[in-house]
């Protein structure tokens, strides 16, 4: 019923997408990703911004001072226990600090020039009832440097010798890479499925009183509804 309302609303939306737009929204997969953006201003000053997204809908923020997640949707905790979430906060915080330190320590070797920006993204993808893709990548000044495949890093062809150097270094962090692999392969899909379940329960609770969100949320909502209706 609610799904129908959403579809009807998308179709009837003034100035919105045509039927083609609706179809492509329905065929898209739903992905969950975490993005950490670090701006390095100088040796002693870095600003970090962390967030998590279900498609285009932001589900989590991150307090870079305390390392605490902020839950932006009523269903953002999915079905994970408080203990598990605290553990994930700890892992995320610890590794983000170490990663930033790595960049500070290699400024000269990698010929990085302050100010610069590093973006780290990772997540998993839910497509037609299956969790299919997991990914992690690190970008420097907006261009892709290295990508995570299985348990090791590959240099992006466009990244040049700097990407090769990053790759060599990151491939030495075996423990980190194993943990990352486990988080992307096990934790991420479990969390994504739990998030979709919690989102569905929330939508059902809202029933008729659900107020329609802005345009940008439609594809996430429709995918969410479709994913959990399978
Ligand atoms: C680093 O940058 C911040 C902000 O621009 C500035 O306040 C601070 O003095 C700088 N520190 C150094 C060591 O340059
Ligand atoms: C990645 O892991 C899968 C499953 O363990 C394996 O089949 C595949 O060959 C691996 N790929 C690479 C590039 O190592
Ligand atoms: C959360 O829900 C997903 C999907 O129903 C399930 O695979 C996962 O095991 C659940 N996790 C917990 C901690 O209950």
């Amino acid at each position: 019923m609610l799904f129908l309302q959403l579809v009807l609303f998308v179709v009837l939306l003034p100035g919105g997408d045509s039927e083609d737009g609706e179809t492509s929204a329905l065929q898209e997969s739903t992905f969950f990703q975490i993005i950490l953006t670090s701006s390095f201003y100088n040796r002693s000053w870095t600003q970090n911004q962390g967030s998590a997204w279900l498609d285009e809908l932001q589900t989590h923020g991150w307090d870079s001072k305390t390392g605490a997640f902020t839950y932006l949707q009523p269903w953002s905790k999915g079905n994970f226990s408080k203990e598990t979430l605290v553990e994930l906060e700890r892992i995320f915080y610890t590794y983000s600090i170490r990663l930033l330190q790595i960049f500070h320590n290699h400024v000269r070797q990698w010929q990085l020039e302050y100010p610069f920006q590093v973006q780290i993204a990772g997540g998993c993808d839910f497509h037609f009832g299956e969790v299919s893709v997991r990914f992690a990548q690190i970008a420097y000044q907006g261009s892709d440097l290295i990508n995570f495949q299985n348990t090791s890093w590959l240099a992006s062809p466009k990244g040049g010798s700097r990407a090769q150097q990053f790759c060599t270094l990151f491939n030495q962090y075996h423990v980190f890479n194993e943990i990352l692999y486990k988080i992307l392969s096990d934790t991420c899909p479990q969390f994504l499925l739990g998030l979709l379940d919690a989102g569905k329960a929330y939508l059902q609770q809202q029933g008729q009183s659900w107020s329609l969100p802005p345009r940008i949320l439609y594809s996430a909502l429709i995918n969410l509804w479709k994913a959990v209706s399978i």
Side-chain angles (χ1 to χ4, degrees):
M1 183 65 192
L2 184 58
F3 177 56
L4 269 181
Q5 286 171 3
L6 280 171
V7 170
L8 283 177
F9 194 77
V10 172
V11 171
L12 297 175
L13 188 75
D17 286 348
S18 64
E19 276 181 26
D20 281 355
E22 183 215 337
T23 311
S24 65
L26 285 171
Q27 283 167 352
E28 264 170 37
S29 56
T30 300
F31 68 91
F32 178 74
Q33 69 172 334
I34 293 179
I35 302 176
L36 174 68
T37 303
S38 300
S39 304
F40 296 78
Y41 294 100
N42 55 40
R43 242 207 104 65
S44 51
W45 201 46
T46 310
Q47 238 180 5
N48 300 312
Q49 264 194 321
S51 57
W53 301 77
L54 185 67
D55 285 349
E56 294 160 328
L57 178 65
Q58 189 179 355
T59 50
H60 301 78
W62 185 59
D63 181 334
S64 62
K65 296 273 187 300
T66 64
F69 298 145
T70 45
Y71 299 94
L72 303 178
Q73 309 295 333
W75 38 270
S76 286
K77 287 183 179 169
N79 63 352
F80 275 23
S81 66
K82 189 163 183 285
E83 291 72 31
T84 308
L85 291 168
V86 167
E87 176 66 11
L88 286 170
E89 277 177 347
R90 197 185 59 77
I91 292 174
F92 194 70
Y93 189 56
T94 309
Y95 282 108
S96 63
I97 290 176
R98 286 199 201 160
L99 282 166
L100 301 182
Q101 202 53 51
I102 290 170
F103 283 94
H104 275 306
N105 292 346
H106 289 81
V107 160
R108 201 170 294 161
Q109 187 189 343
W110 293 339
Q111 298 176 346
L112 311 175
E113 271 177 42
Y114 294 110
F116 61 89
Q117 199 179 61
V118 171
Q119 202 171 53
I120 302 170
C124 55
D125 176 289
F126 183 86
H127 199 79
F128 294 115
E130 272 182 55
V131 178
S132 52
V133 183
R134 52 179 189 281
F135 62 92
Q137 58 202 37
I138 299 182
Y140 170 74
Q141 298 289 52
S143 60
D144 200 15
L145 265 192
I146 56 175
N147 290 285
F148 195 60
Q149 305 275 338
N150 277 6
T151 55
S152 54
W153 294 90
L154 292 180
S156 159
K158 284 176 296 180
S161 64
R162 182 183 280 143
Q164 294 292 345
Q165 289 176 310
F166 268 63
C167 211
T168 306
L169 183 77
F170 276 88
N171 279 328
Q172 290 168 13
Y173 301 129
H174 298 293
V175 176
F176 168 72
N177 292 338
E178 292 291 338
I179 292 174
L180 182 60
Y181 179 76
K182 200 161 159 41
I183 287 179
L184 294 177
S185 310
D186 300 345
T187 317
C188 185
Q190 279 172 28
F191 188 68
L192 172 55
L193 294 180
L195 200 61
L196 293 170
D197 278 347
K200 178 189 178 187
Y202 179 76
L203 285 178
Q204 279 171 341
Q205 261 173 25
Q206 298 304 302
Q208 296 294 324
S209 66
W210 175 253
S211 60
L212 287 159
R215 180 72 186 91
I216 195 166
L217 303 186
Y218 295 157
S219 114
L221 278 170
I222 287 173
N223 281 321
L224 187 136
W225 185 259
K226 183 173 146 279
V228 295
S229 304
I230 288 167

